[in-house]
Amino acid sequence: MSEVAILTTSAGEMVLEFWPDVAPGHVENFKKLAKQGFYDGTCFHRVIKGFMIQGGDPNTKDDAKQNQWGMGGPAYQIKAEFNDKPHVRGVLSMARSNHPDSAGSQFFICHAKADNLDGKYTAFGKLIKGDDVLEKIATTPTHPGDRPVKKVSLTSVKIVPADSVK
């Protein structure tokens, strides 16, 4: 059965489809974390207009830990699954540090084409509904360091059957 993710944010709702054919480990990891409620209450801590919006850091649940935002994860890392899917607007991909196998929970959604990431970051899904929400988040004013001036929260991520979403 095909499943999608419904991301409920302070800017509206986005629906993402997954690409288990090219990145099965990343898809399973994202679904597992979502089903555990790992992403609920986090925020998009890094927003770069014309590039991407990034979230999935558990440290962002705590405003007192702002100096650690962007460094959190699930206490494990997953192996890269580089593939031929291009990083274009709406593509869901995993954030990581310099090491290719350092992804954990942080993800990003491309706001525009970012072909410099192709083959270097694991693309594992795509936005199928809520492009207006992506636009709203990606164009929100930011402080230096690409942090939104007004917090863009990720209230919940729910994994549901694809045919349940109209």
Side-chain angles (χ1 to χ4, degrees), residues 26 29 71 73-80 94 96-105:
H26 282 68
N29 180 60
M71 297 187 271
Y76 63 81
Q77 297 175 330
I78 58 176
K79 194 157 175 39
M94 279 305 268
R96 61 172 178 78
S97 67
N98 289 335
H99 193 284
D101 299 331
S102 61
S105 61

Side-chain angles (χ1 to χ4, degrees), residues 42-84:
T42 61
C43 75
F44 286 96
H45 65 276
R46 191 168 170 234
V47 171
I48 304 174
K49 181 183 175 184
F51 180 38
M52 58 92 217
I53 63 172
Q54 182 174 330
D57 179 349
N59 291 339
T60 63
K61 292 180 185 185
D62 184 352
D63 285 344
K65 287 186 178 175
Q66 284 196 35
N67 62 336
Q68 294 168 38
W69 288 11
M71 297 187 271
Y76 63 81
Q77 297 175 330
I78 58 176
K79 194 157 175 39
E81 295 174 300
F82 302 143
N83 55 63
D84 294 335

Side-chain angles (χ1 to χ4, degrees), residues 10 13 30 41 47 67 84 91 93 101 103 105 118-119 127 131 140-141 145:
S10 54
E13 201 172 85
F30 187 90
V47 171
N67 62 336
D84 294 335
V91 164
S93 191
D101 299 331
S105 61
D118 293 352
L127 185 70
D131 187 73
T140 194

Side-chain angles (χ1 to χ4, degrees), residues 131-151:
D131 187 73
D132 57 323
V133 177
L134 170 61
E135 186 63 25
K136 232 185 276 181
I137 297 171
T139 57
T140 194
T142 54
H143 290 297
D146 309 313
R147 177 130 340 128
V149 173
K150 185 171 175 265
K151 193 172 183 178

Side-chain angles (χ1 to χ4, degrees), residues 9 14 18 25-26 32 38 41 59 64-65 69 80 93 108 128 134 148:
T9 77
M14 293 185 283
F18 296 111
H26 282 68
K32 178 187 84 173
F38 184 91
N59 291 339
K65 287 186 178 175
W69 288 11
S93 191
F108 62 92
I128 55 171
L134 170 61

